[in-house]
Amino acid sequence: MLYYLIAAVIIALDQFTKYLVVKYMELGESIPLIADVFHLTSHRNMGAAFGILQNRRWFFIVITTVVVIGIVISLIRLGKKQPRASLALSLVLGGAVGNFIDRAMTGQVVDFLDFTLINFPIFNVADMAITIGVGILLLDVFLDGKKNR
């Protein structure tokens, strides 16, 4: 239950921050929080991370649905037996559903976190959760591999 709650918090935070961006910023508007380093930039992405696969809305909806079902099944199986992997999956679940809601509702994902210093693609809370979750999963695989030697 805890892991679904974590996913729900990620979804709520992601959707709330995107709501604020859509409500209070013009598309393309950029607000420097740290000039030339980190800005809030209202951007829409019709593809995946780094702008790949643009205008593939139904592809992403189908893939995300399959991934979400797989994560839910994995969480049921892993549960408390593997807390690190379950935490990682809950983060990925929250992020995947957060971006899924955008794609299903409007066909585009609201991005707004903009590291201008390194010209990194603009991203959102859901993207952060997915990235951190995948990082934890990789760490889990690495640590389990070392334990099984």
Side-chain angles (χ1 to χ4, degrees), residues 10 13-14 17-18 95 112-113 123-130:
I10 296 293
L13 182 62
D14 178 65
T17 54
K18 289 172 177 174
F112 57 94
L113 299 170
F123 57 99
N124 57 42
V125 172
D127 298 332
M128 288 190 319
I130 292 169

Side-chain angles (χ1 to χ4, degrees), residues 44-118:
R44 305 298 180 271
N45 183 0
M46 297 179 72
F50 308 110
I52 61 171
L53 299 172
Q54 292 290 310
N55 298 311
R56 308 282 179 159
R57 179 181 187 180
W58 289 106
F59 171 78
F60 287 117
I61 287 174
V62 170
I63 292 297
T64 304
T65 301
V66 171
V67 167
V68 165
I69 291 169
I71 290 173
V72 169
I73 291 169
S74 296
L75 280 172
I76 291 168
R77 289 183 178 164
L78 295 178
K80 295 177 182 173
K81 291 183 282 187
Q82 297 185 26
R84 191 172 43 229
S86 294
L87 172 64
L89 289 174
S90 68
L91 293 172
V92 174
L93 178 63
V97 172
N99 282 338
F100 176 86
I101 291 170
D102 287 9
R103 284 195 182 94
M105 300 294 285
T106 66
Q108 54 191 2
V109 173
V110 176
D111 290 328
F112 57 94
L113 299 170
D114 186 8
F115 272 103
T116 57
L117 179 66
I118 57 173

Side-chain angles (χ1 to χ4, degrees), residues 1-64:
M1 188 68 176
L2 170 67
Y3 301 111
Y4 299 109
L5 181 63
I6 291 170
V9 168
I10 296 293
I11 295 165
L13 182 62
D14 178 65
Q15 290 298 300
F16 179 67
T17 54
K18 289 172 177 174
Y19 166 79
L20 293 176
V21 168
V22 170
K23 175 109 175 138
Y24 296 106
M25 294 180 72
E26 296 291 327
L27 184 60
E29 181 181 357
S30 187
I31 302 170
L33 298 179
I34 302 172
D36 300 324
V37 176
F38 183 69
H39 295 203
L40 293 180
T41 301
S42 179
H43 178 73
R44 305 298 180 271
N45 183 0
M46 297 179 72
F50 308 110
I52 61 171
L53 299 172
Q54 292 290 310
N55 298 311
R56 308 282 179 159
R57 179 181 187 180
W58 289 106
F59 171 78
F60 287 117
I61 287 174
V62 170
I63 292 297
T64 304

